[in-house]
Amino acid sequence: RKEVEQDPGPFNVPEGATVAFNCTYSNSASQSFFWYRQDCRKEPKLLMSVYSSGNEDGRFTAQLNRASQYISLLIRDSKLSDSATYLCVVKALTGGGNKLTFGTGTQLKVEL
Amino acid sequence: DGGITQSPKYLFRKEGQNVTLSCEQNLNHDAMYWYRQDPGQGLRLIYYSQIVNDFQKGDIAEGYSVSREKKESFPLTVTSAQKNPTAFYLCASSGTGDQHPEAFFGQGTRLTVV
C-alpha cells in the first residue's frame, strides 16, 4: 500500500463548480498535513496546511480525519486559474528525522 | 529575499558521467529534501536530511548520493549507477518545529541524459 494515496483524476469541471479531492495516508504517526498545488513544469507551492479542526482559506476548505487517516480539499466556485495538479502531503517523524511524503497528485481542469 | 535556489535549471549529461545538482537555502531551515518527478508522475523522495552531517535514504536512493556539510546546502550527485536519470529534480526545505512545518521548493533542475 502506498504511504499517501490520491485519485489521479483528471477531474474536468465547468467554471463555478464545486470539486472535492480526497487523500488517504497509511502512517498513523503522521503529524502534519498539507495540500500543495503544482502547475505544469513548475515546482509545487503550498496551498494550505490541514488542521484537525478543519480550515478554510477563501474558496478552499481542508479537513483532516485522523481516525480514518483521511484528508480532503474542497474548492468552491472553481475558476479557470484553479486548473493544476493538487498534491496531498504528509509529514511524519522517522528515526532519521521528518519525512515528507507526497501523493501522486490529482489533476484538475476547469473549463468554460 | 529568502528562498531556495537550485542550479542549473536545465542540465544535459552524457551517459556514464556523474553530475551534481546544487541546492542552497537561506531560510534557516534544518530539514532539506530531494525529490525526483517523472512526466505525469508524483514526487518520489530520494534523500532527506534533518541536520548538518546527517542524511537518510528516501524511497529511491539507489544511484544517488548527497552531502550536508553546511546547513544551507544539500547537493545531490546523480551517479552513473542511476539507470534512468532523466527527470525533473526538486529540492525542498522545511522547519522542524511545530510552528512552520511546511516545505518550500526550489524551481527545480531538469536533467536530460543524452
Side-chain angles (χ1 to χ4, degrees), chain B residues 26 53 63 84 112:
Chain B
N26 60 5
N53 292 324
N84 187 18
T112 303

PDB file of all heavy atoms in Angstrom, chain B residues 26 53 63 84 112:
ATOM      1  N   ASN B  26      18.345  29.963   2.249  1.00  0.00           N
ATOM      2  CA  ASN B  26      18.680  30.957   3.271  1.00  0.00           C
ATOM      3  C   ASN B  26      17.497  31.203   4.197  1.00  0.00           C
ATOM      4  O   ASN B  26      17.312  32.317   4.708  1.00  0.00           O
ATOM      5  CB  ASN B  26      19.170  32.249   2.615  1.00  0.00           C
ATOM      6  CG  ASN B  26      18.126  32.864   1.705  1.00  0.00           C
ATOM      7  OD1 ASN B  26      16.994  32.385   1.622  1.00  0.00           O
ATOM      8  ND2 ASN B  26      18.491  33.928   1.022  1.00  0.00           N
ATOM      9  N   ASN B  53      25.521  17.165   8.543  1.00  0.00           N
ATOM     10  CA  ASN B  53      26.307  15.924   8.641  1.00  0.00           C
ATOM     11  C   ASN B  53      25.461  14.685   8.909  1.00  0.00           C
ATOM     12  O   ASN B  53      26.003  13.662   9.370  1.00  0.00           O
ATOM     13  CB  ASN B  53      27.405  16.037   9.708  1.00  0.00           C
ATOM     14  CG  ASN B  53      28.479  17.033   9.304  1.00  0.00           C
ATOM     15  OD1 ASN B  53      28.821  17.132   8.130  1.00  0.00           O
ATOM     16  ND2 ASN B  53      28.990  17.773  10.270  1.00  0.00           N
ATOM     17  N   GLY B  63      21.724   4.908  -6.762  1.00  0.00           N
ATOM     18  CA  GLY B  63      22.275   5.665  -7.880  1.00  0.00           C
ATOM     19  C   GLY B  63      22.446   7.141  -7.590  1.00  0.00           C
ATOM     20  O   GLY B  63      22.863   7.898  -8.470  1.00  0.00           O
ATOM     21  N   ASN B  84      18.188   5.362 -14.942  1.00  0.00           N
ATOM     22  CA  ASN B  84      17.286   6.196 -15.733  1.00  0.00           C
ATOM     23  C   ASN B  84      17.242   7.594 -15.126  1.00  0.00           C
ATOM     24  O   ASN B  84      16.252   7.970 -14.490  1.00  0.00           O
ATOM     25  CB  ASN B  84      15.891   5.563 -15.750  1.00  0.00           C
ATOM     26  CG  ASN B  84      14.964   6.287 -16.699  1.00  0.00           C
ATOM     27  OD1 ASN B  84      15.390   7.023 -17.569  1.00  0.00           O
ATOM     28  ND2 ASN B  84      13.676   6.085 -16.511  1.00  0.00           N
ATOM     29  N   THR B 112      18.673  15.931 -18.351  1.00  0.00           N
ATOM     30  CA  THR B 112      18.486  15.081 -19.522  1.00  0.00           C
ATOM     31  C   THR B 112      19.791  14.353 -19.810  1.00  0.00           C
ATOM     32  O   THR B 112      20.837  14.994 -19.920  1.00  0.00           O
ATOM     33  CB  THR B 112      18.092  15.900 -20.763  1.00  0.00           C
ATOM     34  OG1 THR B 112      16.895  16.632 -20.462  1.00  0.00           O
ATOM     35  CG2 THR B 112      17.849  14.996 -21.955  1.00  0.00           C
TER      36      THR B 112
END
